């Protein structure tokens, strides 16, 4: 059975290394989530602008 990444980190760097590794992983995960939110917000803003234009065009008729 292969040792897991966490057990390798603990064996090589101790509990402090595992804690630092967790903090790094957590920040990388947050960065990915933040990037996904930015992309989603851009798409939402575009859709809202298109909807606003469509409503204003209908009112102008």
């Amino acid at each position: 059975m292969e040792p897991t990444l966490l057990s390798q980190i603990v064996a090589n760097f101790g509990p402090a290394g595992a804690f630092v590794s967790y903090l790094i992983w957590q920040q990388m995960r947050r960065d990915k989530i933040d990037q996904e939110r930015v992309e989603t917000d851009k798409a939402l803003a575009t859709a809202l602008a298109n909807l606003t234009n469509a409503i204003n065009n209908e009112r102008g008729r």
Side-chain angles (χ1 to χ4, degrees), residues 20-57:
V20 169
S21 296
Y22 169 75
L23 293 177
I24 292 170
W25 170 81
Q26 186 179 32
Q27 187 60 47
M28 289 171 52
R29 191 172 131 243
R30 280 187 189 146
D31 291 345
K32 181 181 178 201
I33 290 170
D34 289 346
Q35 184 61 35
E36 290 171 354
R37 283 183 182 157
V38 166
E39 296 301 322
T40 302
D41 288 349
K42 286 180 184 178
L44 181 59
T46 300
L48 183 57
N50 291 338
L51 178 60
T52 302
N53 287 336
I55 291 170
N56 288 335
N57 289 340

Side-chain angles (χ1 to χ4, degrees), residues 1-15:
M1 183 170 166
E2 290 186 20
T4 64
L5 180 59
L6 179 59
S7 65
Q8 289 176 355
I9 291 171
V10 170
N12 292 331
F13 304 106

